């Protein structure tokens, strides 16, 4: 028995020695050496791209929204970059430092403040995001892999995604020559809330969320009302859609050759190969006639209110009635059936709210009108009397207001007279 046991032990030792030899034959370098070789290979891939890289970064707070970048890496751990976050970064090169490091897996780190840091800046005033987190983007990325001319990465802190694609010589030259078509941002200069996209004989209501870089098209077809949504990002000629649009024979994947005509209040564009124009409209083709009731009932059912941080936008002027200038201002609100009879259209300063009492009327054409009771809740300060007077006058417009649902808990209230006044309500 002991002989057999000794024989078994001897066989095990021989087998282990054989496995170790095979292991050593396969891995004739230490783990650190192999990691350094991998990092060196990634570094070579980055710097050897002769025309740099065009990139898209998808912050995790903005689902589907991409911000465009251009990177040119060199052998001294420096990187030139442009960004389409705003009109300055789109045409102004900024140089930063970068490095590759193994942090459980190979990672690309942008280690001095640059355009890519703006998306995750904790100061929300820098990017329109959340205080403390920005847009939940990253400046340290794990490298998921290289696939031909493409590198895929994932942010280490917030899980944002990034895709690098080798740029062409023309794309690189366009960045350095400042050939960026930024005209689509002139969309915000329309004086009317509603806009109409005309492509040939086809007409579409067009809504643009410039923070989330999202476009919504609505139209009426033979099969009823249709809706299309896509995110967009800027390119050298204009904007590209993340999802191409198709309506029968009409198809396009972005807008190019964009030109803003301020006097005519219109944007002319190329929609794919089609000439197109975006113009003002005072009423949408597709009208959600139940939106006003949903807005009202959502708050009434929960005995809550809708809030606005900036008041009424009128004729191109934000906060046209100056509510944010009221001492201690927090927000405007609309509280349905506040006292069991009247609605409270109020302003909340630091101490106590005040404002007029209204009764809504829901009309069959989809508009909501507001009857002023002549009463007010709270004590209206003398310094706010003109502001409150303007608000009362606006609410009483006989044409009333359309409501547009913009999210699960947000609506825009647009005056039906000429669509040149609106207010955004959120919960």
């Amino acid at each position: 028995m002991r002989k057999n046991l000794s024989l078994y032990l001897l066989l095990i030792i021989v087998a282990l020695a054989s496995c170790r030899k095979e292991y050593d034959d396969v891995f004739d370098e230490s783990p650190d050496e192999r990691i350094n070789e991998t990092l060196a290979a990634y570094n070579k891939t980055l710097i050897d791209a002769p025309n740099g890289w065009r990139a898209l970064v998808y912050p995790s707070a903005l689902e589907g929204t991409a911000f465009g970048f251009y990177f040119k890496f060199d052998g001294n751990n420096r990187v030139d970059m442009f960004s389409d976050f705003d009109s300055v970064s789109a045409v102004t090169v900024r140089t930063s430092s970068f490095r590759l490091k193994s942090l459980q897996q190979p990672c690309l780190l942008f280690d001095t403040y640059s355009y890519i840091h703006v998306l995750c800046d904790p100061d929300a005033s820098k990017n329109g995001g959340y205080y403390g987190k920005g847009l939940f983007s990253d400046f340290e990325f794990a490298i998921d892999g290289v696939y031909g001319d493409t590198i895929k990465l994932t942010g280490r802190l917030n899980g944002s995604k990034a895709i690098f694609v080798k740029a062409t010589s023309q794309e690189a030259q366009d960045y350095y020559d400042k050939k960026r078509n930024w005209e689509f941002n002139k969309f915000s200069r329309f004086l009317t809330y509603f806009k109409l996209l005309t492509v040939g004989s086809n007409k579409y209501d067009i809504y643009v969320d410039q923070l989330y870089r999202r476009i919504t098209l609505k139209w009426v077809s033979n099969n009823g009302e249709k809706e299309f949504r896509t995110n967009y990002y800027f390119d050298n000629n204009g904007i590209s859609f993340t999802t191409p649009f198709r309506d029968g024979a009409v198809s396009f994947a972005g807008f190019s050759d964009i030109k803003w005509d301020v006097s005519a209040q219109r944007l002319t564009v190329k929609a794919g190969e089609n000439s197109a124009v975006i113009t003002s409209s005072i009423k949408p083709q597709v009208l959600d006639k139940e939106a006003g009731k949903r807005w009202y009932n959502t708050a009434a059912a929960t005995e809550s209110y809708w809030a606005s941080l900036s008041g009424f936008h009128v004729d191109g002027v934000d906060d046209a009635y100056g509510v944010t200038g009221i001492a201690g201002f927090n927000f405007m609100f609309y509280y349905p059936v506040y006292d069991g009879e009247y609605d409270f259209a109020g302003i909340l300063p630091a101490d106590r709210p005040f404002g007029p009492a209204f009764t809504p009327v829901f009309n069959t054409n989809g508009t909501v009108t507001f009857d002023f009771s002549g009463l007010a809740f709270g004590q209206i300060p003398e310094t706010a009397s003109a502001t409150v007077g303007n608000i009362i006058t606006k609410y009483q417009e006989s044409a009333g207001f359309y409501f547009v649902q913009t999210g699960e808990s947000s609506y825009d209230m647009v005056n039906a007279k000429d669509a040149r006044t609106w207010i955004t309500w959120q919960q």
Side-chain angles (χ1 to χ4, degrees), residues 218 287-301 306 336 362 368 403-408 410-411 427:
K218 297 181 180 182
L287 178 62
D288 183 352
K289 292 185 178 181
E290 300 301 313
K293 290 181 181 178
R294 286 200 309 276
W295 167 79
Y296 188 87
N297 292 333
T298 297
W306 292 96
F362 301 96
V368 181
F403 280 79
V404 178
Q405 186 167 2
T406 57
E408 289 186 6
S410 60
Y411 287 80
Q427 282 193 327

Side-chain angles (χ1 to χ4, degrees), residues 4-210:
N4 289 339
L5 182 60
S6 298
L7 180 59
Y8 292 149
L9 289 174
L10 180 60
L11 289 172
I12 291 171
I13 292 170
V14 171
L16 288 175
S18 175
C19 290
R20 179 54 185 257
K21 183 178 187 305
E22 290 178 6
Y23 180 89
D24 290 340
D25 288 343
V26 173
F27 299 108
D28 56 358
E29 297 175 320
S30 70
D32 285 343
E33 289 174 325
R34 291 195 300 275
I35 289 171
N36 289 334
E37 284 186 359
T38 299
L39 294 176
Y42 281 135
N43 188 70
K44 187 175 189 304
T45 298
L46 289 173
I47 66 177
D48 279 0
N51 304 303
W53 301 83
R54 54 185 177 88
L56 293 175
V57 176
Y58 295 81
S60 56
L62 306 178
E63 184 178 355
T65 300
F67 291 90
F69 287 82
Y70 171 81
F71 300 114
K72 184 69 172 71
F73 299 89
D74 69 20
N76 297 313
N77 293 104
R78 309 295 288 175
V79 54
D80 284 356
M81 68 176 69
F82 293 90
S83 164
D84 73 5
F85 181 78
D86 59 33
S87 57
V88 175
S89 60
V91 297
T92 307
V93 66
R94 184 162 186 169
T95 302
S96 174
S97 62
F98 78 95
R99 59 193 167 109
L100 288 151
K101 186 175 181 179
S102 178
L103 300 171
Q104 295 184 327
Q105 70 183 98
C107 296
L108 171 62
L109 316 180
F110 295 88
D111 51 8
T112 56
Y113 193 90
S114 59
Y115 293 142
I116 203 163
H117 292 75
V118 172
L119 302 183
C120 50
D121 196 309
D123 181 355
S125 66
K126 304 288 188 183
N127 49 40
Y130 301 88
Y131 280 97
K133 281 290 190 177
L135 296 176
F136 287 77
S137 192
D138 292 277
F139 56 87
E140 295 184 352
F141 293 88
I143 300 175
D144 298 327
V146 178
Y147 309 89
D149 289 344
T150 301
I151 303 175
K152 295 183 178 181
L153 311 96
T154 299
R156 296 189 65 244
L157 179 61
N158 294 308
S160 57
K161 296 294 184 179
I163 298 175
F164 292 8
V165 180
K166 284 184 179 179
T168 66
S169 59
Q170 186 61 58
E171 287 170 336
Q173 194 61 46
D174 284 347
Y175 273 102
Y176 285 102
D177 288 346
K178 303 181 180 181
K179 292 181 179 178
R180 307 298 290 170
N181 189 319
W182 205 251
E183 287 290 278
F184 192 69
N185 271 353
K186 302 288 179 62
F187 193 92
S188 63
R189 298 190 184 182
F190 278 101
L191 296 179
T192 60
Y193 179 88
F194 300 113
K195 276 76 74 173
L196 189 69
L197 168 66
T198 302
V199 185
S201 60
N202 296 56
K203 297 182 182 298
Y204 309 93
D205 298 328
I206 179 169
Y207 300 88
V208 177
D209 185 325
Q210 291 180 278

